[in-house]
Amino acid sequence: MDTKIIRIDEQHIDMALIEEAGKIIKAGGLVAFPTETVYGLGGDALNPLSSEKIYKAKGRPSDNPLIVHIADMQYLDRIVRKVPDSAYKLAERFWPGPLTMILYKADMVPYETTGGLDTVAVRMPVHRVARELIKAAGGYVAAPSANRSGRPSPTLAKYVAEDMAGRIDMIIDGGNVEIGLESTIIDLTSKEPTVLRPGCITKQMLSQVLSGVEEDITLMRDDAGQAPRAPGMKYRHYAPQGDMTVVSGEEGRVTEYINEQVFLRKSDNKRTGVICTDASVEKYRADVCKSVGNRNDEAGIARELYRVLREFDDEKVEVIYAEAFDADGIGQAIMNRLLKAAGHKVVCV
Ligand code: TXA
Ligand code: MG
């Protein structure tokens, strides 16, 4: 299959191109598109065949449900059995934006889209290209992140092309994404509203709107003896090809420990890499050292993290050490992704 790559600028949207992309989705095809979080791989959420195609293109297990993207509040109650008050409250504050809500699905949502579940994940993105595309495609676009399963989510169209060229109909290049990590997921079908995946909308922010917000205990640890409640969170998702370890502790000791390990692994003829920050990047002696930015600029780190993980793969790094980050605010989402990439391998020094 030839994959057509087009460029659409969020500030000057070419509606003829949007129409063309919308028609592809309506006809059962797949179009990758930019959102404010990461690039999505879109198909018609109400067409079971489209959802099957998405799983196939990603190489993703079909028990891992897709997020349905909408562009207008009026579309919500058609795909959800009954919209609870909590959903309206969250929507008023955070939609359009990087928040996904889990709700009971209406019959018209096929089980192929929800991975066999009676619940459906819904998100209303703020990116204008995404919104126009959703409208042009009929209102309901199922879209997981546009990476092959097991690779970091794409933050640039060129990464979508690396993973998806030849497998989907079209890629819309909208430049850099703004956030760089996937949306926060909150389950509104459980007894208490529960965060299943941390993102840039934090638990503290959600707690200003709803009381009793909880967190899935598997978010930051893997010894909980429990399967995560978002089926996708059980896979070693954001996995670089190298063997990764997160190192936490006082700054100087972290650098010292990592350099010792790098020395040992180099003498085993391994190609080594370090994920660090602007302030520490000069101090490491690994083959490849990459800064994710300034430690105090968490939004900046979130934006760079997946690019850096992909570059370690491109440079064939075999052993990766990553500095840890504070797990408050967006830092929780950053650490959640790092820990998953490392298969929860953490050393405290
Ligand atoms: O920011 C985002 O959310 C991006 C952009 C494209 O919108 N999308 C995204 O989709 O990250 P995906 O498929 O890569 O991740 C969706 C996550 C998976 O972990 C999946 O298991 C979970 O959402 N999920 C989807 N439906 C669910 C449901 N009904 N119950 C629990 N978890 C669900
Ligand atoms: Mg994903």
Side-chain angles (χ1 to χ4, degrees):
M1 177 191 290
D2 259 356
T3 302
K4 186 168 179 183
I5 302 184
I6 59 172
R7 163 94 207 172
I8 303 184
D9 179 356
E10 193 178 3
Q11 305 312 324
H12 308 276
I13 293 181
D14 181 336
M15 288 307 288
L17 290 177
I18 292 279
E19 282 308 317
E20 185 185 338
K23 271 194 194 139
I24 292 174
I25 292 181
K26 275 186 171 162
L30 303 184
V31 177
F33 61 98
T35 82
E36 66 276 19
T37 56
V38 297
Y39 275 77
L41 174 57
D44 180 353
L46 304 183
N47 180 348
L49 297 176
S50 298
S51 295
E52 279 169 7
K53 275 193 195 168
I54 291 176
Y55 290 116
K56 200 158 163 228
K58 274 182 72 82
R60 172 177 187 157
S62 57
D63 67 343
N64 190 356
L66 308 174
I67 297 176
V68 179
H69 294 66
I70 59 174
D72 196 311
M73 254 336 247
Q74 285 158 0
Y75 284 72
L76 181 62
D77 56 7
R78 287 193 240 157
I79 50 167
V80 170
R81 203 183 301 155
K82 184 179 179 310
V83 183
D85 272 351
S86 53
Y88 286 118
K89 283 187 189 152
L90 289 176
E92 192 169 314
R93 178 74 170 268
F94 298 114
W95 277 3
L99 179 69
T100 297
M101 301 186 213
I102 309 292
L103 298 159
Y104 286 107
K105 80 173 193 75
D107 290 342
M108 73 189 284
V109 182
Y111 282 112
E112 283 78 358
T113 299
T114 66
L117 299 176
D118 283 318
T119 55
V120 59
V122 192
R123 163 160 126 80
M124 189 193 293
V126 69
H127 198 291
R128 288 188 53 222
V129 173
R131 297 169 64 77
E132 294 301 340
L133 176 65
I134 294 163
K135 288 189 238 169
Y140 300 101
V141 172
S145 49
N147 51 288
R148 294 290 302 272
S149 193
R151 302 215 70 199
S153 296
T155 50
L156 283 172
K158 75 167 181 185
Y159 297 143
V160 179
E162 272 177 28
D163 284 13
M164 293 295 166
R167 308 175 72 88
I168 63 177
D169 300 281
M170 181 183 267
I171 297 171
I172 301 178
D173 180 352
N176 257 309
V177 298
E178 204 182 309
I179 296 171
L181 297 178
E182 306 85 347
S183 61
T184 304
I185 301 179
I186 187 164
D187 184 356
L188 298 178
T189 66
S190 45
K191 194 154 156 267
E192 301 295 344
T194 307
V195 177
L196 305 187
R197 179 172 74 183
C200 84
I201 295 178
T202 62
K203 184 182 168 204
Q204 291 89 316
M205 290 158 75
L206 295 162
S207 300
Q208 288 168 6
V209 179
L210 297 184
S211 59
V213 177
E214 293 180 354
E215 263 168 5
D216 187 347
I217 56 168
T218 65
L219 291 188
M220 307 306 280
R221 39 191 281 216
D222 70 344
D223 59 348
Q226 210 170 306
R229 282 164 41 190
M233 300 295 276
K234 73 174 178 255
Y235 298 105
R236 194 177 156 227
H237 238 183
Y238 317 96
Q241 279 148 30
D243 178 38
M244 184 165 145
T245 306
V246 177
V247 184
S248 84
E250 185 267 320
E251 222 178 285
R253 292 193 23 214
V254 167
T255 313
E256 202 179 313
Y257 175 85
I258 291 178
N259 275 332
E260 278 166 22
Q261 295 301 311
V262 162
F263 178 78
L264 291 172
R265 306 311 289 265
K266 274 186 170 176
S267 53
D268 289 343
N269 283 320
K270 295 283 187 203
R271 192 164 158 75
T272 56
V274 177
I275 298 177
C276 53
T277 57
D278 292 349
S280 60
V281 67
E282 301 294 336
K283 296 181 187 154
Y284 289 105
R285 292 190 286 275
D287 300 307
V288 182
C289 301
K290 288 189 186 284
S291 168
V292 286
N294 182 328
R295 186 167 278 281
N296 300 322
D297 173 15
E298 289 186 322
I301 295 172
R303 208 155 40 228
E304 297 303 325
L305 183 62
Y306 285 152
R307 174 183 62 79
V308 165
L309 286 177
R310 274 187 183 256
E311 286 174 1
F312 278 103
D313 285 350
D314 295 342
E315 299 191 37
K316 308 263 180 283
V317 174
E318 296 170 279
V319 188
I320 306 167
Y321 295 93
E323 291 182 1
F325 295 90
D326 286 338
D328 321 322
I330 313 175
Q332 188 189 20
I334 295 168
M335 277 305 284
N336 167 268
R337 304 317 192 268
L338 268 182
L339 290 171
K340 283 168 64 65
H344 284 270
K345 212 181 319 154
V346 187
V347 175
C348 301
V349 294

